[in-house]
Amino acid sequence: MNDYQPVTIAPDVTIGGETVYLMAGPCSVESYEQTAVIATTLVKAGIKIMRGGAFKPRTSPHSFQGLGVEGLEILRDVADQHGLLVITEALAVEHVPLVAEYTDIIQIGSRNMQHYPLLWRVGELDKPVLLKRGFMSTVAEWLQAAEHIASRGNRRIILCERGIRTFETATRNTLDTNAIALLKQMSPYPVIADPSHATGRAGLVLPAARAAIAAGADGLLVEFHPDPTAALSDGEQSLPLDMLPLFVESVRGVATAVGRSFV
Ligand code: PEP
Ligand code: MN
């Protein structure tokens, strides 16, 4: 493993060490109340990092595009009140300074993995970056995208396998557990998995999460919603919030089996 470097997010939270971290929350930040209810549940389950999109990369321009700056404000405010860390996506180069101000980890989405000016911009910051795999990108292209960030000085990079497009249509994407195991052997960066976008089906998220941890993932990014049927985005792959304790317990079983702890 060449120059392997865990990424420290806060004094007590390091991704890529012995502990496997769950980053959980809604696909999109929808309201203050929704976010607060999720934060309360995360804290009760011992989770440290809340996810939530404010600027959303939607395939259709007619779908909900996120609350934008208001979403960032809600996320930060709720997180601070509950002592949580935050991950959210920067969709555009011009949003990077603003997003960086509100978040603890900047997410680069799958559709933007090869948006080089965006990679250069986050590469200029001293802020952890979660780089999602392009859904039609090879491992080599993904690592070169990471290199674009690192070449500007920022080496606080976490890779996220979020499923790739294959001939299979029964699931939204195909979780590439090979890539997780491979990158853990040959990349300098921690690797996490997003079983929500990788499967697109709520019923598959837990088994895919367990598989990712067994393959060596350092963390998970998972969509939870208080009422998935009413979600403004990705309801079909969001787990009901009341399943969180069971989810944590089940994933922890696999983490323990591979010699790691899970929070
Ligand atoms: C997300 O995590 O909210 C998201 C849009 O994922 P992806 O970029 O992997 O599609
Ligand atoms: Mn989503």
Side-chain angles (χ1 to χ4, degrees):
M1 227 180 269
N2 37 3
D3 298 330
Y4 180 69
Q5 40 199 335
V7 177
T8 296
I9 316 293
D12 60 337
V13 179
T14 295
I15 313 284
E18 186 266 335
T19 302
V20 172
Y21 284 93
L22 173 61
M23 308 174 189
C27 178
S28 302
V29 174
E30 297 173 0
S31 69
Y32 193 94
E33 295 66 33
Q34 171 229 29
T35 312
V37 136
I38 291 171
T40 305
T41 308
L42 295 185
V43 170
K44 256 191 227 149
I47 305 307
K48 307 263 190 204
I49 309 169
M50 175 161 64
R51 67 147 285 149
F55 293 99
K56 294 302 301 177
R58 303 306 304 284
T59 300
S60 166
H62 307 297
S63 305
F64 176 61
Q65 305 291 308
L67 294 180
V69 181
E70 189 194 348
L72 294 178
E73 287 168 354
I74 292 172
L75 205 53
R76 187 73 266 166
D77 191 33
V78 170
D80 287 347
Q81 284 188 31
H82 291 82
L84 289 164
L85 298 161
V86 157
I87 173 166
T88 197
E89 178 165 351
L91 197 54
V93 178
E94 62 269 26
H95 292 158
V96 168
L98 180 75
V99 172
E101 213 179 289
Y102 284 89
T103 195
D104 300 290
I105 307 172
I106 301 177
Q107 178 173 324
I108 301 295
S110 186
R111 291 158 190 77
N112 274 329
M113 189 204 83
Q114 288 177 308
H115 182 174
Y116 299 119
L118 183 59
L119 303 181
W120 300 332
R121 188 67 190 85
V122 298
E124 289 164 4
L125 304 175
D126 181 27
K127 172 89 57 176
V129 176
L130 182 106
L131 179 64
K132 286 196 151 196
R133 180 183 187 175
F135 54 79
M136 294 198 286
S137 298
T138 64
V139 165
E141 288 162 345
W142 188 10
L143 284 173
Q144 296 209 56
E147 198 52 33
H148 272 274
I149 300 172
S151 69
R152 297 293 166 120
N154 188 356
R155 295 181 59 82
R156 302 173 75 191
I157 299 168
I158 303 160
L159 302 171
C160 178
E161 160 60 35
R162 50 77 75 203
I164 51 174
R165 182 166 288 177
T166 67
F167 57 78
E168 183 57 75
T169 54
T171 50
R172 184 176 181 184
N173 291 290
T174 297
L175 177 68
D176 186 1
T177 44
N178 285 359
I180 297 170
L182 176 65
L183 287 167
K184 285 305 295 174
Q185 288 174 15
M186 47 78 77
S187 115
Y189 308 114
V191 183
I192 76 161
D194 172 349
S196 305
H197 293 87
T199 61
R201 296 164 67 139
L204 298 178
V205 173
L206 176 58
R210 286 165 56 93
I213 299 307
D218 297 302
L220 296 170
L221 183 69
V222 181
E223 291 178 343
F224 281 88
H225 195 284
D227 178 8
T229 61
L232 296 182
S233 59
D234 284 349
E236 60 294 337
Q237 68 191 34
S238 298
L239 291 174
L241 192 57
D242 58 14
M243 254 199 68
L244 184 79
L246 209 69
F247 180 90
V248 169
E249 191 184 285
S250 178
V251 173
R252 188 170 283 139
V254 177
T256 305
V258 295
R260 307 183 77 174
S261 48
F262 181 64
V263 294

